[in-house]
Amino acid sequence: MKTYIVGNWKLNFTVGESSIYLHKLVKSLPSYRNLEVVVAPSTLSLQPLSLQIDRKRIKLAAQNGFYRDYGAFTGEVSFSQLRGLVDYAIIGHSERRYILKEDDKTIQKKVAAAIRNKIRPILCVGEIESERAFGETADTIKDQLLGGLADVSDDDLSKVIIAYEPVWAISSVKGAKLASPSEVAEAIDIIRQTLIETYGAEAAKKITVLFGGSVSPSNAGGYLTIPGVNGLLVGGASLILHEFVDIIEIAKKVQA
Ligand code: 13P
């Protein structure tokens, strides 16, 4: 199975800065096989960057998209407009769930809209600190996972990528802590088990699962060796070119 290293730039970098970063990233990239390097810049940068990149080396992801393809939805950008520009879209990120108040129903429609437009959704799931403290981690993960996947047909299931991001471990969250490999392993197991119970072992096996939350060059190797983890969703460290390149190098080594 491929390893995925996805950089989520969130609300950072102008179009010009994004272009310069990508230019430098391509120059510093090691040669690799069976590794998918993806960056998710702001929506505004997607069109120019899609013309700049060599898609054999780097792929683009949107950070969001709207679930209707066209119509009177002021300010939205649809997956049909993103079609052809990006290969992936991050959907249901905790910053959209908790700051922008997106619920599971909205996320479910976005996942379906992405697939309908030939874009692979990266569906984010993960508990907040109080849910973990109250022993609700498994229920939260299952609800978000099955909610997000509710409109995905069996045939399309393997197109979906799941990202487990415990909200309390995201670097920009106040008082963020590092998730320990055993905590991550436990959550990945919940995800894998839920997928097996819902879709069967064969289908579940084909689904890519990533981990995200304060990933850095110093912990990437540890997270990548957790069974069932197929890659990383990187926030802060993906903004620092040499750190992102280091993480890609580490992924390459772990695979070898
Ligand atoms: P950090 O790597 O900055 O914790 O962000 C994680 C994240 O939210 C990626 O989507």
Side-chain angles (χ1 to χ4, degrees), residues 22-43:
L22 263 194
H23 181 73
K24 290 186 187 160
L25 175 62
V26 171
K27 279 173 107 180
S28 340
L29 269 185
S31 64
Y32 53 78
R33 282 169 52 207
N34 237 3
L35 199 68
E36 184 91 324
V37 178
V38 183
V39 293
S42 87
T43 308

Side-chain angles (χ1 to χ4, degrees), residues 8 10 93 95 165 169-172 212-215 233-237:
N8 178 7
K10 307 189 179 182
H93 190 279
E95 284 143 23
E165 293 207 311
I170 293 180
S171 67
S172 54
S214 298
V215 170
L233 180 52
V234 188

Side-chain angles (χ1 to χ4, degrees), residues 125 141 145 162 164 187-195 209:
V125 300
I141 291 175
L145 188 62
I162 307 296
Y164 171 59
I188 297 293
D189 209 46
I190 292 165
I191 292 172
R192 292 273 175 208
Q193 280 308 323
T194 306
L195 293 172
V209 181

Side-chain angles (χ1 to χ4, degrees), residues 44-92:
L44 203 58
S45 299
L46 290 172
Q47 209 273 339
L49 293 186
S50 75
L51 300 174
Q52 177 182 331
I53 57 161
D54 172 359
R55 284 193 185 197
K56 284 195 219 81
R57 303 206 70 199
I58 293 183
K59 303 268 200 314
L60 292 176
Q63 294 177 21
N64 184 31
F66 192 59
Y67 54 78
R68 295 282 289 270
D69 286 349
Y70 56 88
F73 303 102
T74 301
E76 294 295 341
V77 172
S78 67
F79 289 104
S80 61
Q81 291 170 321
L82 292 166
R83 187 177 185 148
L85 298 184
V86 300
D87 287 283
Y88 301 91
I90 298 171
I91 298 179

Side-chain angles (χ1 to χ4, degrees), residues 5-6 164-165 169-171 178 211-221 223-224 231-238 243 247:
I5 302 295
V6 184
Y164 171 59
E165 293 207 311
I170 293 180
S171 67
L178 266 191
F211 170 72
S214 298
V215 170
S216 69
S218 57
N219 59 32
Y223 290 134
L224 282 170
L232 301 168
L233 180 52
V234 188
S238 74
E243 294 203 1
I247 292 170

Side-chain angles (χ1 to χ4, degrees), residues 48-182:
L49 293 186
S50 75
L51 300 174
Q52 177 182 331
I53 57 161
D54 172 359
R55 284 193 185 197
K56 284 195 219 81
R57 303 206 70 199
I58 293 183
K59 303 268 200 314
L60 292 176
Q63 294 177 21
N64 184 31
F66 192 59
Y67 54 78
R68 295 282 289 270
D69 286 349
Y70 56 88
F73 303 102
T74 301
E76 294 295 341
V77 172
S78 67
F79 289 104
S80 61
Q81 291 170 321
L82 292 166
R83 187 177 185 148
L85 298 184
V86 300
D87 287 283
Y88 301 91
I90 298 171
I91 298 179
H93 190 279
S94 59
E95 284 143 23
R96 298 211 59 86
R97 288 180 190 267
Y98 300 107
I99 305 172
L100 284 310
K101 311 286 179 223
E102 271 186 23
D103 57 16
D104 280 329
K105 190 78 201 154
T106 305
I107 292 162
Q108 171 188 338
K109 290 194 255 182
K110 290 188 174 191
V111 169
I115 292 176
R116 181 166 77 235
N117 286 292
K118 313 246 176 289
I119 294 170
R120 289 185 68 186
I122 301 174
L123 170 65
C124 300
V125 300
E127 78 287 359
I128 58 173
E129 193 169 24
S130 62
E131 287 165 337
R132 175 160 283 266
F134 289 120
E136 294 165 2
T137 301
D139 284 346
T140 304
I141 291 175
K142 279 186 204 170
D143 287 351
Q144 293 180 349
L145 188 62
L146 298 180
L149 294 177
D151 281 343
V152 179
S153 70
D154 288 358
D155 283 351
D156 287 332
L157 202 62
S158 62
K159 295 177 186 148
V160 180
I161 294 176
I162 307 296
Y164 171 59
E165 293 207 311
V167 183
W168 48 272
I170 293 180
S171 67
S172 54
V173 171
K174 207 163 157 256
K177 300 184 211 68
L178 266 191
S180 71
S182 64

